[in-house]
Amino acid sequence: MARGAIWAAIAGTLAGELAQGLYPAGAKLPTEAELAARFGVNRHTVRHALADLAAKGLVVSRRGAGVFVASRPTDYAIGRRVRFNENVTAAGQVPSRELTRLETRVAAGHEAAALGLEPGALVQVVEGVSLADGQPIAMFRSVFPAARFSGLLDALREVPSITMALAAAGVDDYVRASTRVTAKAAKPVQALRLRLREGAPILRTEAVNVDGAAVPVEYGLTWFAGERVTLTLSV
Amino acid sequence: MARGAIWAAIAGTLAGELAQGLYPAGAKLPTEAELAARFGVNRHTVRHALADLAAKGLVVSRRGAGVFVASRPTDYAIGRRVRFNENVTAAGQVPSRELTRLETRVAAGHEAAALGLEPGALVQVVEGVSLADGQPIAMFRSVFPAARFSGLLDALREVPSITMALAAAGVDDYVRASTRVTAKAAKPVQALRLRLREGAPILRTEAVNVDGAAVPVEYGLTWFAGERVTLTLSV
DNA sequence: ACGGATTTGTGCGTATGTATG
DNA sequence: GCATACATACGCACAAATCCG
């Protein structure tokens, strides 16, 4: 700890305590004065450390109120190629997911249309929650043509990502063909799953992913916790 | 100027002078003490402004040496999927381009070979300069099979990127199949276009892009201003 | 090669402004 | 209105890296 600047050591200590979950997301940190006393340094030195953490997106400060644990990830890139795991790992977090439904059923009208299927065709449906460092980031529902991906549901139980399950089904690459983004208020069930209050802002994206031959492989709806995610639209 | 923090006003003033090209890339800014005297503020206030500029990637400071104008963009990702606009926008800059040539002609031997065409086949050729925030980043020459992309030149006049022009021609996705990188010295014409001195280092990349069916759609040469770009090879 | 001057980095102390609760 | 807490700004001092004669 001796080598390097004092502020860097303090920032590292605080970052460790944040990663450890000592302070829950949204919690208020001790005041700058208290932190200065704790580490035995001037308040400016604490501020330098906090500025570093703020630049990394770990904390957010509000004048007159305090310094709070940021709800990460701050940014979620939405481009032609979106991989949840890449977004999360790029933010230095650990991605995980919980599956809440796996089923094969008849496609709804808009699902069949989005996937270019005949009305009444069968589809595989997977629903679940995506988490970063254990905190819910988004709910998702993905719909796949059942005729092409017969073993997909089994694969999804085995591997940790949709990308890998599709790869096992022979789709080694896919791109986002279209995306629509709307803002909604959280319904009770959504608020429960995403650990939000009812009525909290939700970002809803609707996307169609296609393979290299432009054939639709997935029709996906995702509901992001608006307070924890900023969608970044690239191109 | 009165509203807002002093450091923010100073940062804005300096950012404007940088954007104006008052200091060339790589040049040394006045010392913190000099800037403090110029703006009539404490050195800490100048440091706050410089820290802000550094966070935005506009300047780089070296202890004992000084503060220097950053040569942006620092990184230019070269992967299987390269889109100039994505690289530039990811760096927080505004992409643009100037077309210097649009023509249809007989393919040269190496061009036909790269695109898998018969010798003597016709190709569409577009040449131009890519800029980020108005500063030249690279010269490019792209060659396309004329038989497949008859309306491409017209599309290129309409849309701001090659990716979009190809999309209009039915290629909604393409990947970089091969890339070769060499280093050259700027020739007089290149130095003029890229606003470099003659003999300045140039990074020359030669790439073949293919569509989802592995059919070549573009043979491209790009000459990057070596002093302003670092190519990052990924995958 | 060396040493002093220069320049940025770090840290403390103090004072005042401004938003919050 | 009042106390609290972060934001800004000034001043001083020394350390560390670089530069130059």
Side-chain angles (χ1 to χ4, degrees):
Chain A
M1 283 269 277
R3 82 151 170 271
I6 297 176
W7 68 261
I10 294 175
T13 299
L14 291 176
E17 294 179 356
L18 291 176
Q20 212 173 20
L22 203 151
Y23 304 101
K28 182 177 176 302
L29 267 63
T31 69
E32 294 177 350
E34 288 169 348
L35 288 174
R38 167 183 165 190
F39 292 105
V41 298
N42 188 275
R43 186 177 147 236
H44 278 311
T45 307
V46 167
R47 279 183 60 75
H48 198 157
L50 290 175
D52 182 63
L53 295 180
K56 291 177 181 172
L58 295 180
V59 300
V60 175
S61 64
R62 287 166 45 211
R63 172 185 294 194
V67 179
F68 301 84
V69 181
S71 344
R72 304 163 300 150
T74 310
D75 275 345
Y76 190 96
I78 290 286
R80 275 181 47 79
R81 308 184 162 275
V82 178
R83 306 291 187 264
F84 174 78
N85 288 351
E86 290 179 7
N87 263 306
V88 173
T89 53
Q93 299 175 62
V94 179
S96 60
R97 68 157 194 208
E98 296 169 0
L99 298 183
T100 56
R101 177 176 298 190
L102 288 166
E103 66 175 0
T104 303
R105 59 165 166 78
V106 174
H110 64 288
E111 294 170 345
L115 289 172
L117 302 176
E118 297 295 327
L122 288 179
V123 288
Q124 314 269 30
V125 180
V126 53
E127 293 182 12
V129 180
S130 298
L131 309 96
D133 282 351
Q135 186 170 59
I137 296 297
M139 294 173 57
F140 62 87
R141 179 196 300 151
S142 287
V143 181
F144 307 88
R148 180 169 175 188
F149 303 114
S150 55
L152 190 68
L153 297 188
D154 292 327
L156 278 167
R157 290 192 184 89
E158 301 292 330
V159 300
S161 80
I162 289 177
T163 300
M164 292 174 67
L166 282 176
V171 179
D172 52 358
D173 194 24
Y174 63 91
V175 300
R176 178 180 293 251
S178 66
T179 305
R180 293 202 299 169
V181 182
T182 55
K184 301 278 186 182
K187 297 174 184 174
V189 177
Q190 296 172 331
L192 182 66
R193 287 262 166 73
L194 291 174
R195 289 180 215 158
L196 295 171
R197 68 186 180 285
E198 195 174 335
I202 297 272
L203 280 172
R204 176 185 178 276
T205 68
E206 179 182 2
V208 177
N209 283 307
V210 302
D211 64 10
V215 177
V217 294
E218 177 196 6
Y219 169 70
L221 294 178
T222 307
W223 295 266
F224 291 92
E227 293 172 340
R228 302 188 189 120
V229 178
T230 299
L231 296 187
T232 305
L233 302 177
S234 55
V235 180
Chain B
M1 283 266 279
R3 80 157 168 270
I6 298 176
W7 68 260
I10 295 176
T13 300
L14 292 176
E17 294 179 355
L18 290 175
Q20 214 174 20
L22 203 151
Y23 304 100
K28 182 178 175 300
L29 266 61
T31 68
E32 294 176 351
E34 288 169 349
L35 289 173
R38 168 185 165 189
F39 292 105
V41 299
N42 187 275
R43 186 179 146 229
H44 278 310
T45 306
V46 167
R47 281 181 60 74
H48 197 157
L50 291 174
D52 182 63
L53 296 179
K56 292 176 181 171
L58 295 179
V59 301
V60 175
S61 63
R62 287 167 43 212
R63 174 187 289 194
V67 179
F68 301 84
V69 181
S71 33
R72 305 166 301 149
T74 310
D75 277 344
Y76 190 97
I78 290 285
R80 270 175 55 79
R81 307 179 167 279
V82 178
R83 307 290 188 266
F84 175 80
N85 287 353
E86 290 181 6
N87 264 304
V88 172
T89 53
Q93 300 175 61
V94 179
S96 59
R97 71 163 190 200
E98 297 170 3
L99 298 183
T100 56
R101 176 176 299 190
L102 288 166
E103 65 174 1
T104 303
R105 59 165 167 77
V106 174
H110 65 286
E111 294 170 345
L115 289 172
L117 302 175
E118 296 296 324
L122 288 179
V123 288
Q124 313 269 31
V125 180
V126 53
E127 293 182 12
V129 179
S130 299
L131 308 96
D133 280 356
Q135 187 171 54
I137 295 298
M139 295 173 56
F140 62 86
R141 179 196 299 150
S142 287
V143 181
F144 308 88
R148 180 169 177 188
F149 303 115
S150 56
L152 188 68
L153 297 188
D154 292 324
L156 278 167
R157 290 191 185 90
E158 302 292 332
V159 300
S161 78
I162 287 177
T163 300
M164 292 175 66
L166 282 176
V171 180
D172 53 357
D173 193 27
Y174 61 95
V175 299
R176 177 179 293 252
S178 66
T179 305
R180 292 202 300 170
V181 182
T182 55
K184 301 279 187 181
K187 296 175 184 175
V189 176
Q190 295 173 330
L192 182 65
R193 288 258 165 77
L194 292 174
R195 289 181 216 158
L196 295 172
R197 67 187 179 286
E198 197 174 328
I202 297 274
L203 280 172
R204 176 185 178 276
T205 67
E206 180 182 1
V208 177
N209 282 308
V210 302
D211 66 7
V215 177
V217 293
E218 177 197 7
Y219 169 69
L221 294 178
T222 306
W223 295 267
F224 292 92
E227 295 173 337
R228 302 186 190 123
V229 178
T230 298
L231 296 187
T232 304
L233 301 179
S234 56
V235 181

